[in-house]
Amino acid sequence: MTASDHPLLGGLLVGRPPGESPLCHVRQVPARPLTTDDWPSWVPAELQAALAAGGVDSPWPHQVQAAEHAWAGESVVIATGTASGKSLAYQLPMLSAVLTEDRARVLYLAPTKALAADQLRSVSSLGLAGVRAATLDGDTPQEERDWVRQHANVVLSNPDMLHRTVLPQHARWASFFRRLRFVVIDECHHYRGMFGSHVSLVLRRLRRLCAAYGSSPVFVLASATSADPGASASRLVGLPVATVDEDFAPRGERTVALWEPPLTASRGENSAPVRRAAGSEAARLLADLVIAGARTLVFVRSRRGAELTALTAKRHLVEAGAGELSPRVAAYRAGFLAEERRALERSLSSGELLGVATTNALELGVDITGLDAVVLAGYPGTLASLWQQAGRAGRRGKDALVVFVARDDPLDTYLVHHPESIFARPVEATVTDPTNPYVLGPQLCCAAYEDALTEADVALFGGADAEPVLVELVERGLLRRRPTGWYWTDRERPTADIRGGGGQPVAVVDTPSGSLLGTVDAATAPATVYPGAVYLHQGRSFVVDQLDLEHGSALVHPEEPDWTTSAREITDIAVVRTLRTELLNGVSVHFGSVQVSNQVVSYQRRRFSGEILDETPLDMPVSELVTKAVWYTLDELLVADTGLELVDLPGALHAAEHAAIGLLPLFATCDRWDIGGVSTAQHADTGRPTVFVYDGHPGGAGFAAHGHSVLPDWLTATLSAIEACECRGGCPSCVQSPKCGNGNNPLDKDGATVVLRLVLAALGGRPTPNTNRPSATCPAGC
Ligand SMILES: [Zn+2]
Ligand SMILES: [Zn+2]
């Protein structure tokens, strides 16, 4: 089938000027037929009956496999796609346990309160008399907390609550811990980076206390599809974990189109060409799909973007003489209130609404599937999210359409020109590093406060990695070493901010309402909440009025301006300790600890079209960060042999660095703001031309380490992204970076490919042949 044969896709291509086809690739994802399995024999009849009454007549095989592992006492992770019924897989063992064993207790943990509330609704709707389920979160009043602790047999909570309230008061929860049979960790792919590393240690604290009270609960984890989910889950809970990742959920056929908006006449920084914004392109597609009668969901980055997309689509409808359809297009800007989410589900499924533009936040807790079309305006950050969003499309027996519209950045460019990176690549690994000393330190203090740490506990908390941290905590007077173990010395409880990256967090306060929106790390505050910054919170837009680093506050007000802001920073880096080194032919590759000094110097305002409005200088303190980095160096003689002039080397290294930072999220679940880079033609510590990429979190969150482990693949992808871009001298789709402190200067796009080829040749990788437009060979014939 060619693109123009597809009923919906063909319509989208009508009226495009010849030679300007945005379609890079089309792929059909076949339907999967229905297969079912029998209920496990241990599932009580009343649970089967309740599930059948709710419409589940028989389970799918992956649900049964996961449930059987759990029931047999083996911790297990189920990692399957959207709408694959993962909740049934953990509900079977957890509800069977409380129905058949009088005293059994179950703990369910979700990354957000809203999800725990959804799970409560789902469990309560079964109407099972023996199940006493209740949520426990920051909003639960004290009297109710007492009831939950004493009577609930299914407690639905979150890791923050476990960390702050339940574990420090474990004696009050003694009988709950003693009877704990299952711990369910839902949406466990959310636990990544620094936050994930903290959660992994909170779970070790939970396991240690359970053991002290005589229980050894089985962990049941549910994850979006991810690379090697068993290894990630096992690192998260610190136990061997069985894996169930073959998805048997039935689904309709899907056509996925990769779409790159054309370059426009506008000019950006250093006169670089700018592509039509993904949001404008998506609005046009939305209008066309609505005219074709397709129920469509568009995913964009911010609420403001969602509104603009819906408004622009309505304007297109009027212009196309289909103004009567305009009331059936809306932006979904409601927050996380359950009623609002249910109302949206109803209007989309009844067809009252035909087109909805929404933020990525919709991923969680909304039950919308079976749509005719899904449009993704920009890569949602991970392949796992991409498939989760795409999974909203597809009705049984009907072909659904998914269009991925590339944003103007190197990662999106790479993806639309490398269909295999979407269709044949395993989704990213969920990276955590429970051995990070900046995470271990506060967590060991919390653990010691809960109960003195023994020699045996040290193994649970990382063994050899924990020992130097304990020595340091003793030296700092926080812990005391006695023959029986390590003791917390203070009367006060230790604190650890598990969602922050260390340091005193900065509170973001909405001045008009006085409400606390959230916190940002002290280390990243100068780059995220500087005066003038547009700050997005759960899709809502605010503008920062004042940042007070000394007292840890940022004052903001709600405002939805027509621009975005990005901080410019200058960075210096020094090697502290090299942990791994590879000396190759004129190229060396390293991994180790570095000290990064960073200063935010200005910010830029950009229109949604990419056009730069202005740049405003900022006076921010220099911040110091000790973290992990991966770096490579080149021999100047080797460079000279390639014909690259030495004067062009700084621009070549700089461009290679930018693009590499843009591409690392292809391999690990980070985004380009989690990492940073430095490149220089002569670095003081290496004495050679060097490119560094470092973790933006104290101690490292595992991203640079992962980058080091996949270096050949990562740099191959970087090279391909640069080569796939048809711009001449570099643009935001390839080597320009929105956070460059040097105003994207100097940048040498061609030089970057020379540098990358040199490194790849030395690494023994095989650089792809120099094809300037891979889409020329696209099977869709564009
Ligand atoms: Zn470019
Ligand atoms: Zn730069």
Side-chain angles (χ1 to χ4, degrees):
M1 185 174 86
T2 67
S4 52
D5 290 340
H6 189 282
L8 288 176
L9 187 54
L12 298 179
L13 294 166
V14 173
R16 298 270 168 180
E20 201 206 70
S21 175
L23 190 63
C24 296
H25 183 81
V26 183
R27 180 76 56 103
Q28 228 126 353
V29 182
R32 196 162 44 210
L34 176 72
T35 45
T36 57
D37 209 336
D38 294 329
W39 293 107
S41 57
W42 43 267
V43 175
E46 57 175 322
L47 178 54
Q48 272 184 47
L51 290 166
V56 184
D57 294 320
S58 45
W60 295 322
H62 57 280
Q63 295 169 321
V64 174
Q65 286 165 19
E68 291 282 15
H69 278 292
W71 196 253
E74 266 181 288
S75 291
V76 60
V77 59
I78 178 166
T80 50
T82 320
S84 62
K86 289 188 282 268
S87 53
L88 185 67
Y90 56 72
Q91 282 175 354
L92 287 177
M94 86 179 192
L95 297 179
S96 297
V98 296
L99 287 170
T100 57
E101 299 162 36
D102 209 15
R103 300 159 71 84
R105 295 289 182 269
V106 171
L107 176 65
Y108 165 97
L109 299 172
T112 67
K113 284 191 274 188
L115 270 180
D118 283 351
Q119 188 58 218
L120 175 65
R121 215 175 1 258
S122 161
V123 169
S124 306
S125 72
L126 294 170
L128 295 160
V131 175
R132 298 182 303 276
T135 54
L136 177 77
D137 56 44
D139 299 338
T140 314
Q142 192 56 49
E143 325 73 87
E144 213 173 304
R145 289 187 188 189
D146 294 339
W147 185 91
V148 173
R149 196 178 64 238
Q150 286 158 13
H151 302 290
N153 53 12
V154 176
V155 174
L156 307 152
S157 190
N158 53 60
D160 308 69
M161 198 65 189
L162 190 62
H163 161 65
R164 275 201 314 267
T165 307
V166 178
L167 298 178
Q169 303 174 7
H170 58 90
R172 311 183 70 193
W173 288 81
S175 80
F176 179 83
F177 286 130
R178 195 173 303 128
R179 299 164 176 186
L180 193 56
R181 279 285 317 268
F182 291 107
V183 178
V184 174
I185 304 179
D186 205 359
E187 305 278 349
C188 68
H189 56 282
H190 278 262
Y191 305 122
R192 61 168 198 90
M194 290 297 263
F195 176 47
S197 307
H198 271 291
V199 171
S200 69
L201 291 164
V202 170
L203 294 172
R204 282 161 178 76
R205 282 160 54 200
L206 169 70
R207 285 180 41 219
R208 184 174 75 119
L209 292 173
C210 285
Y213 288 108
S215 71
S216 153
V218 172
F219 286 77
V220 188
L221 301 101
S223 168
T225 44
S226 83
D228 207 352
S232 301
S234 169
R235 196 165 45 232
L236 187 66
V237 298
L239 286 171
V241 172
T243 307
V244 172
D245 58 0
E246 193 179 348
D247 192 338
F248 292 93
R251 66 168 182 217
E253 192 177 47
R254 261 178 230 155
T255 298
V256 182
L258 308 184
W259 195 276
E260 183 176 50
L263 291 172
T264 63
S266 323
R267 289 283 171 243
E269 191 163 40
N270 306 329
S271 307
V274 175
R275 289 184 193 282
R276 188 183 297 145
S280 321
E281 190 77 357
R284 202 164 143 175
L285 299 177
L286 176 58
D288 288 348
L289 288 163
V290 164
I291 290 172
R295 287 185 310 143
T296 305
L297 199 55
V298 181
F299 286 98
V300 296
R301 189 167 156 264
S302 67
R303 280 193 184 195
R304 178 72 180 141
E307 271 163 30
L308 280 174
T309 302
L311 272 177
T312 314
K314 283 167 183 276
R315 207 178 60 225
H316 286 312
L317 287 173
V318 172
E319 283 164 9
E324 75 284 358
L325 290 172
S326 144
R328 295 171 73 188
V329 171
Y332 175 61
R333 54 161 301 145
F336 292 78
L337 292 179
E339 312 81 90
E340 293 166 332
R341 285 183 281 142
R342 300 291 97 81
L344 175 75
E345 289 167 12
R346 277 194 305 275
S347 12
L348 258 174
S349 73
S350 70
E352 187 191 329
L353 278 180
L354 265 179
V356 171
T358 182
T359 62
N360 298 339
L362 190 74
E363 249 180 59
L364 287 176
V366 177
D367 185 18
I368 296 174
T369 49
L371 296 169
D372 301 308
V374 164
V375 178
L376 285 76
Y379 186 55
T382 62
L383 200 54
S385 299
L386 182 143
W387 287 120
Q388 190 138 345
Q389 296 180 354
R392 305 282 180 192
R395 261 189 281 181
R396 224 173 279 176
K398 214 174 156 200
D399 186 9
L401 177 67
V402 176
V403 185
F404 165 44
V405 181
R407 249 198 319 255
D408 206 1
D409 72 38
L411 183 53
D412 284 28
T413 305
Y414 177 83
L415 290 166
V416 293
H417 289 290
H418 294 83
E420 75 285 3
S421 67
I422 292 182
F423 300 101
R425 174 169 64 100
V427 292
E428 305 78 4
T430 307
V431 172
T432 53
D433 181 8
T435 68
N436 178 332
Y438 292 82
V439 176
L440 263 174
Q443 289 290 338
L444 285 169
C445 290
C446 292
Y449 171 83
E450 286 151 12
D451 195 9
L453 285 163
T454 63
E455 290 282 355
D457 293 334
V458 177
L460 176 69
F461 289 100
D465 291 307
E467 279 160 15
V469 180
L470 283 167
V471 169
E472 199 203 317
L473 292 172
V474 171
E475 276 169 10
R476 285 167 57 198
L478 293 168
L479 296 186
R480 183 170 300 153
R481 180 80 164 104
R482 296 210 185 114
T484 45
W486 288 265
Y487 289 77
W488 175 246
T489 53
D490 214 324
R491 281 181 173 278
E492 297 264 313
R493 256 171 63 178
T495 52
D497 175 17
I498 66 172
R499 296 213 185 225
Q504 183 69 30
V506 171
V508 183
V509 178
D510 175 26
T511 320
S513 71
S515 61
L516 174 69
L517 296 174
T519 58
V520 295
D521 299 347
T524 55
T528 50
V529 289
Y530 48 86
V534 176
Y535 174 75
L536 295 175
H537 176 70
Q538 296 185 341
R540 284 190 294 158
S541 166
F542 298 83
V543 173
V544 180
D545 299 307
Q546 200 192 321
L547 170 63
D548 182 345
L549 283 169
E550 199 180 325
H551 298 100
S553 70
L555 303 180
V556 305
H557 68 270
E559 188 185 331
E560 303 197 324
D562 290 327
W563 58 80
T564 60
T565 52
S566 47
R568 294 300 183 97
E569 48 197 37
I570 49 175
T571 307
D572 262 330
I573 199 163
V575 175
V576 177
R577 197 152 70 98
T578 306
L579 299 169
R580 264 167 269 164
T581 289
E582 264 176 290
L583 297 173
L584 308 152
N585 245 340
V587 170
S588 68
V589 172
H590 313 264
F591 172 74
S593 302
V594 292
Q595 164 127 13
V596 179
S597 357
N598 212 299
Q599 186 176 26
V600 172
V601 289
S602 66
Y603 73 93
Q604 277 189 337
R605 296 191 305 152
R606 275 167 213 253
R607 286 210 188 282
F608 292 111
S609 63
E611 184 196 337
I612 292 164
L613 290 169
D614 54 22
E615 183 160 348
T616 310
L618 289 167
D619 181 22
M620 291 284 169
V622 176
S623 63
E624 302 283 346
L625 173 74
V626 175
T627 184
K628 297 287 192 322
V630 49
W631 64 96
Y632 59 81
T633 74
L634 301 168
D635 187 330
E636 279 109 332
L637 292 174
L638 200 67
V639 177
D641 281 350
T642 64
L644 181 69
E645 299 287 336
L646 283 185
V647 292
D648 295 329
L649 189 56
L653 296 167
H654 190 196
E657 170 221 319
H658 279 186
I661 290 172
L663 266 294
L664 185 56
L666 200 58
F667 300 94
T669 51
C670 56
D671 67 34
R672 72 188 297 159
W673 304 94
D674 282 325
I675 43 184
V678 172
S679 55
T680 162
Q682 165 113 61
H683 190 268
D685 295 325
T686 67
R688 280 175 144 197
T690 309
V691 174
F692 290 88
V693 175
Y694 63 88
D695 256 270
H697 303 276
F703 303 129
H706 195 72
H708 179 253
S709 69
V710 297
L711 192 66
D713 292 341
W714 173 26
L715 295 185
T716 303
T718 305
L719 176 63
S720 313
I722 298 174
E723 288 176 344
C725 189
E726 76 267 37
C727 76
R728 268 203 291 168
C731 74
S733 291
C734 56
V735 298
Q736 286 195 344
S737 160
K739 62 176 198 172
C740 179
N742 278 333
N744 283 302
N745 210 348
L747 282 182
D748 183 338
K749 180 181 171 181
D750 295 334
T753 65
V754 174
V755 165
L756 289 165
R757 283 169 184 284
L758 274 182
V759 179
L760 282 167
L763 285 171
R766 277 194 302 142
T768 48
N770 197 348
T771 50
N772 40 11
R773 285 291 283 173
S775 56
T777 55
C778 163
C782 63

